[in-house]
């Protein structure tokens, strides 16, 4: 090779390598900047908030969740209060936001012993059960996440539960351990900004590919009244136990408890999986106050910078954000600093004012769970098209020059109509440690219904439910009944499908069958009360026993089911395509055209091969969800499907047999339509691939993929109908 040829060859290789490098760089850059989808939410907050829907009701109705101190934690409630902040060991307030059921925990549900549960921090218990709820609300069975690269990022700041094991690190580790998650498990403590800092870390981990899904949140339970005692001494608490964000009447913060968990996933992955996207995380940023005018004092310039950094990360201008869910603790020092920072960044040239509010007016300051509460509130505000009002706002604080920019307080609820751009909102959290976080959310594009997904008739339907205990099953039924009663517009078949495909099936089970809504409500009430009912089937599942598949000889009424499965199940669709290819040499029709009603379905030589293919494809669907047969049996063309599933016939042989058999039935129809077909043994050997020593059913060396081998009952000679009557157990 000449020097010139060597040079050309070298340049070609270098050019190819450069192209590969550029492609990889583009992919890496695209992944790092890809938006993150919020696909699930769950929460528990003061005021009886047990779900995001409850949280929305609280803020939309303008209620707060502040109550007196709990009396089941060993606190000296009557002796704890004293109006003098200098009085040792006392609190200047008697109210706060509490999770009054925080001590309750279904330890058996998670396989935790009573002794271990006693020594488990209530914050671990709450984040664990709320994580489970969030995963289910994302449309996922928590069991499917086991051994996946799912991360856990949890904010927590209180560590005052006596006897707790493992400290703060175990709060995230407990979730990863119990659910079997193998992504990063990180506990974040930046005080009041913990949950938003955890969200920032989760977003970056997803974008870098360190995990494929993330559970993100924060939790606060005050096992002792020390937070009230300490801040009373510092004169930092509002005497009435209520935050008054940005109000002239602001007189201190109000301590509260809560827990919130979000399920995050890369947007492309969420769309590919068909999961509903509640919101998109467009931008995140975290920074620190640095050397400011005091360790615990807020720093206005740092707050402005974190907002600007989040906008840069989102690729947005300030005018493209419509509302900010503020940190808004209701302190005379912190609120003015935050308001000036918001005015300085968002209050400039914009066509409409930015709306500013804070959920702390409803819940109090839920500390490590505060940021995630703001996220859930703003996601729901985008969904409902309304910005809820901020409570306890007599008039704007006079310590802020509100004329310095186009920012207005949410003294009343404000409609938030859709426009040319998606709705966008930002959420701020600032930690007493000086760590600041800002997150920008965007509403997702409206989902486009897939072809063939028009709603069907809603009735009749069957709802399956389960629990780890009889009490858990009854509670599940009661919750479903309450949801059904509250949501008259829901399609019960959607719920029925989710209960079967997206919930973990526990040992204690019940199925309610009903022909209408009233019947379903009655059946659910019977399960909840533990009453026998003619529309309810209940049972307890032990170790799973063997499963048998029976393949019938009829089923022309299944065609509509097959059409829907073609649209909704890739497994069914792929196996039908394989059957269509196997049948093609022997039939004069196209399988999928017949299923869709485009070709005649009434001929025997059409319907039997079609039913064979439907049964084979349906068996593959069952296998794909973990249901495999220990034995198979069949009747008529169902015997041929059974033989294939057993591994006694290859798919080409089974297709040949069912096609020729159905054609022979047509030929013999003039003799009265015989129920079986008799052929000479030599024709059988010609048409069906023989084994050694004659046409004998035996194990196939080319079994269907992924199926376990099936031992077939020996059949020692070729009977005239060449049809084995049954197949034995899995070998």
């Amino acid at each position: 090779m000449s020097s010139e040829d060597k040079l050309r060859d070298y340049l070609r290789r270098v050019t190819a390598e450069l192209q590969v490098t550029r492609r990889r760089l583009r992919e890496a850059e695209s992944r790092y900047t890809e938006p993150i989808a919020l696909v699930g939410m769950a929460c528990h907050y003061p005021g009886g908030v047990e779900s995001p829907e409850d949280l929305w009701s609280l803020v939309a109705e303008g209620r707060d969740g502040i109550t007196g101190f709990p009396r089941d934690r060993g606190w000296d409630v009557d002796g704890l209060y004293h109006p003098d902040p200098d009085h040792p060991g006392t609190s200047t307030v008697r109210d706060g936001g509490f999770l009054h059921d925080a001590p309750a925990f279904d330890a058996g549900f998670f396989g935790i012993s009573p002794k271990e549960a006693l020594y488990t921090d209530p914050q671990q218990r709450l984040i664990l059960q709320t994580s489970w709820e969030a995963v289910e609300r994302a449309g996922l069975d928590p069991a499917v996440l086991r051994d996946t690269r799912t991360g856990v990022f949890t904010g927590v700041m209180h560590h005052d539960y006596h006897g707790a094991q493992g400290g703060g690190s175990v709060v995230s580790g407990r979730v990863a351990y119990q659910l079997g998650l193998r992504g990063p498990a990180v506990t974040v403590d930046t005080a009041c900004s913990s949950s938003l800092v955890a969200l920032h870390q989760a977003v970056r981990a997803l974008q870098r590919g360190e995990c494929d899904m993330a559970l993100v949140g924060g939790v606060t339970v005050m096992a002792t009244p020390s937070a009230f005692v300490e801040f009373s001494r510092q004169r930092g608490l509002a005497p009435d136990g209520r935050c008054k964000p940005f109000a002239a009447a602001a007189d201190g913060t109000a301590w509260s408890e809560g827990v919130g968990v979000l399920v995050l996933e890369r947007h492309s992955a969420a769309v590919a999986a068909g999961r509903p996207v509640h919101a998109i995380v467009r931008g995140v940023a975290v920074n620190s106050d640095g050397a400011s005018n005091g360790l615990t004092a807020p720093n206005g310039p740092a707050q402005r910078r974190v907002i600007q950094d989040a906008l840069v990360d989102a690729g947005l201008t300030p005018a493209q954000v419509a509302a900010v869910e503020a940190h808004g603790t209701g302190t005379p020092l912190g609120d003015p600093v935050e308001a000036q920072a918001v005015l300085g960044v968002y209050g400039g040239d914009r066509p409409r004012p930015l709306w500013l509010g804070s959920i702390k007016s409803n819940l109090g300051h839920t500390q490590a769970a505060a940021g995630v509460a703001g996220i859930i509130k703003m996601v729901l505000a985008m969904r409902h098209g309304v910005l809820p009002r901020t409570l306890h706002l007599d008039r704007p604080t006079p310590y802020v020059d509100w004329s310095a920019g186009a920012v207005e307080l949410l003294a009343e609820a404000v409609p938030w109509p859709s426009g040319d751009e998606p709705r966008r909102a930002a959420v701020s959290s600032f930690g007493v440690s000086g760590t600041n976080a800002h997150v920008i959310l965007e509403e997702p594009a409206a989902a486009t219904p897939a072809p063939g997904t028009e709603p069907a008739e809603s009735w009749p339907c069957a709802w399956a439910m389960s629990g780890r205990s009889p009490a858990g099953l009854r509670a599940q039924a009661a919750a479903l009944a309450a949801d059904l009663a509250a949501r008259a517009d829901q399609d019960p078949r959607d719920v029925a499908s989710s209960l079967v495909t997206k919930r973990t099936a526990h040992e204690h089970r019940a199925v309610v069958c009903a022909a209408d809504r009233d019947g379903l409500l009655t059946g659910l009430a019977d399960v909840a009360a533990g009453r026998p009912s003619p529309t309810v089937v209940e049972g307890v599942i032990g170790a799973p026993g063997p499963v048998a598949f029976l393949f019938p000889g009829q089923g022309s009424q299944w065609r509509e089911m097959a059409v829907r499965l073609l649209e909704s199940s890739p497994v069914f669709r792929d196996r039908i395509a394989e059957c269509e290819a196997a049948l093609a040499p022997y039939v004069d029709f196209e399988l999928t055209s017949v299923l869709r009603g485009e070709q005649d379905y009434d001929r025997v030589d059409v319907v039997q091969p079609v039913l064979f293919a439907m049964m084979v494809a349906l068996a593959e669907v069952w296998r794909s969800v973990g249901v495999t047969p220990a034995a198979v049996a069949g009747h008529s063309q169902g015997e041929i499907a059974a033989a294939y599933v057993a591994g006694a016939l290859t798919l080409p042989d089974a297709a040949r047999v069912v096609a020729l058999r159905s054609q022979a039935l047509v030929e013999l129809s003039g003799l009265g339509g015989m129920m079986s077909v008799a052929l000479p043994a030599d024709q059988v050997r010609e048409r069906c691939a023989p084994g050694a020593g004659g046409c004998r059913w035996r194990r196939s060396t080319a079994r269907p993929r992924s199926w376990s081998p099936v031992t077939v009952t020996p059949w020692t000679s070729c009977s005239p109908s060449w049809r084995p009557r049954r197949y034995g157990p899995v070998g």
Side-chain angles (χ1 to χ4, degrees):
M1 180 183 292
S2 66
S3 298
E4 187 174 342
D5 291 338
K6 290 181 180 178
L7 179 59
R8 287 197 187 96
D9 181 65
Y10 173 75
L11 290 174
R12 278 195 298 268
R13 286 189 286 108
V14 170
T15 302
E17 290 172 358
L18 282 173
Q19 291 174 342
V20 171
T21 301
R22 286 172 179 161
R23 176 177 57 79
R24 290 176 177 172
L25 180 60
R26 286 194 301 270
E27 291 173 353
E29 290 175 342
S30 174
R31 185 178 67 182
Y32 191 77
T33 59
E34 181 179 5
I36 300 301
L38 194 165
V39 298
M41 305 183 292
C43 63
H44 299 266
Y45 284 102
V49 171
E50 298 296 321
S51 67
E53 292 77 18
D54 289 347
L55 183 65
W56 179 252
S57 296
L58 184 83
V59 298
E61 295 168 9
R63 296 183 282 114
D64 73 31
I66 305 303
T67 63
F69 285 173
R71 292 184 173 272
D72 59 351
R73 303 189 187 180
W75 299 7
D76 180 11
V77 174
D78 297 325
L80 184 59
Y81 171 76
H82 197 285
D84 182 0
D86 294 322
H87 192 277
T90 58
S91 166
T92 57
V93 302
R94 295 184 256 207
D95 301 297
F98 297 98
L99 299 177
H100 288 281
D101 60 352
F105 179 59
D106 189 353
F109 181 89
F110 294 102
I112 297 174
S113 70
K115 182 177 181 180
E116 183 180 2
L118 180 64
Y119 289 100
T120 300
D121 188 335
Q123 296 177 129
Q124 294 181 30
R125 306 176 201 160
L126 277 169
I127 201 73
L128 176 58
Q129 65 189 37
T130 309
S131 295
W132 183 284
E133 294 169 14
V135 172
E136 286 197 331
R137 293 177 69 92
L140 289 163
D141 178 348
V144 306
L145 296 184
R146 184 167 294 275
D147 293 328
T148 64
R149 298 171 71 250
T150 299
V152 183
F153 299 83
T154 303
V156 63
M157 56 184 285
H158 282 283
H159 310 284
D160 55 356
Y161 184 70
H162 299 298
Q165 298 175 339
S169 63
V170 182
V171 177
S172 57
R174 170 75 68 179
V175 176
Y177 171 75
Q178 296 290 159
L179 301 186
L181 311 180
R182 295 190 176 274
V186 179
T187 299
V188 175
D189 182 0
T190 58
C192 308
S193 60
S194 295
S195 60
L196 285 200
V197 174
L199 189 149
H200 175 275
Q201 292 193 351
V203 166
R204 293 296 182 242
L206 286 164
Q207 291 174 331
R208 288 193 295 262
E210 295 171 1
C211 55
D212 299 322
M213 186 172 283
L215 308 182
V216 183
V219 59
T220 295
V221 175
M222 294 173 285
T224 69
S226 60
F228 291 94
V229 173
E230 292 171 7
F231 264 71
S232 293
R233 189 172 63 252
Q234 297 176 31
R235 295 162 173 77
L237 295 180
D240 62 356
R242 287 164 173 83
C243 294
K244 307 168 186 68
F246 307 108
D251 54 358
T253 194
W255 289 145
S256 293
E257 302 174 330
V259 57
V261 176
L262 313 174
V263 182
L264 302 183
E265 191 174 21
R266 286 186 292 275
H267 185 256
S268 60
V271 171
R275 275 186 269 282
V277 176
H278 302 300
I280 296 171
V281 181
R282 279 293 302 267
V284 292
V286 169
N287 74 1
S288 175
D289 286 346
S292 60
N293 61 339
L295 174 61
T296 61
N299 184 317
Q303 292 182 13
R304 286 195 294 273
R305 282 194 298 272
V306 80
I307 295 172
Q308 292 164 342
D309 290 346
L311 286 165
V312 170
D313 188 57
L316 298 172
T317 65
Q320 291 177 287
V321 176
V324 168
E325 169 65 21
H327 187 57
T329 57
T331 60
L333 173 62
D335 283 4
V337 172
E338 180 176 10
Q340 295 291 2
V342 171
L343 282 160
V345 179
Y346 285 113
D349 185 20
R350 54 187 303 129
R352 289 174 294 276
L354 177 115
W355 294 103
L356 184 65
S358 174
I359 197 173
K360 292 182 180 65
S361 70
N362 305 91
L363 300 179
H365 190 348
T366 55
Q367 305 170 81
V372 67
I375 294 285
I376 296 173
K377 171 191 169 183
M378 297 314 290
V379 169
L380 295 172
M382 290 190 289
R383 179 186 301 171
H384 291 277
V386 176
L387 289 164
R389 71 185 179 100
T390 299
L391 307 185
H392 318 306
L393 184 57
D394 55 343
R395 57 189 178 87
T397 174
Y399 301 113
V400 174
D401 180 7
W402 295 103
S403 66
V407 173
E408 294 189 18
L409 296 175
L410 285 161
E412 299 294 337
V414 173
W416 193 4
S418 58
D420 296 334
E421 289 194 359
R423 297 180 180 95
R424 298 188 184 95
V427 182
S428 288
S429 275
F430 308 131
V432 70
S433 62
T435 303
N436 309 308
H438 196 70
V439 175
I440 298 175
L441 303 171
E442 179 178 285
E443 71 173 337
T448 302
T453 58
E454 295 80 9
E457 284 293 324
S458 299
W459 305 100
C461 72
W463 280 17
M465 63 210 78
S466 69
R468 285 275 171 88
S469 64
L473 177 62
R474 292 194 295 270
Q476 181 67 237
L480 287 169
D483 187 70
L484 177 65
R487 300 171 58 194
D489 59 338
Q490 69 178 338
D491 185 341
R493 288 195 174 181
D494 287 343
V495 180
S497 174
S498 295
L499 288 172
V500 172
T501 62
K502 299 176 181 178
R503 304 293 293 270
T504 300
H506 302 298
E507 299 87 340
H508 296 266
R509 302 182 186 180
V511 178
V512 179
C513 301
D516 54 33
R517 182 176 296 272
D518 289 341
L520 186 54
L521 283 168
T522 299
L524 291 169
D526 289 338
V527 176
R531 293 189 297 262
S533 171
T535 62
V536 175
V537 178
E538 291 194 53
V540 180
I541 305 301
V547 175
F549 283 2
L550 177 63
F551 296 84
Q554 292 80 34
S556 58
Q557 71 275 12
W558 294 351
R559 189 172 63 82
E560 183 64 27
M561 175 195 72
V563 172
R564 295 195 182 189
L565 285 171
L566 282 172
E567 300 293 344
S568 61
S569 172
V571 173
F572 187 87
R573 186 166 55 246
D574 291 347
R575 186 47 58 97
I576 285 290
E578 293 171 3
C579 291
E580 184 169 51
L583 287 167
Y586 313 106
V587 300
D588 60 356
F589 60 85
E590 293 182 355
L591 178 58
T592 51
S593 295
V594 173
L595 290 175
R596 297 182 189 281
E598 299 166 0
Q599 290 185 247
D600 183 18
Y601 187 56
D602 296 329
R603 291 162 33 196
V604 171
D605 60 331
V606 175
V607 70
Q608 290 203 352
V610 169
L611 292 178
F612 160 82
M614 289 166 60
M615 288 186 282
V616 165
L618 191 58
E620 182 68 11
V621 172
W622 281 112
R623 186 211 62 79
S624 70
V625 295
V627 180
T628 58
V632 295
H635 168 67
S636 186
Q637 73 272 2
E639 297 177 26
I640 305 167
Y644 165 65
V645 170
L649 288 175
T650 64
L651 185 57
D653 279 349
R656 181 189 302 117
V657 169
V658 74
L660 296 179
R661 177 185 183 276
S662 65
Q663 292 161 16
L665 281 172
V666 173
E667 294 172 6
L668 294 170
S669 61
L671 300 178
M674 300 173 64
M675 294 302 295
S676 62
V677 180
L679 292 176
D682 58 345
Q683 292 188 33
V684 175
R685 294 189 182 94
E686 178 183 346
R687 299 183 180 195
C688 181
C695 182
R696 180 175 303 195
W697 295 118
R698 57 180 63 243
R699 287 177 181 265
S700 169
T701 57
R703 295 186 183 89
R705 62 176 183 274
S706 301
W707 285 91
S708 300
V710 174
T711 298
V712 180
T713 300
W715 193 48
T716 56
S717 63
C718 293
S719 75
S721 61
W722 45 268
R723 295 183 302 173
R725 290 295 174 187
R726 63 188 178 89
Y727 300 91
V730 169

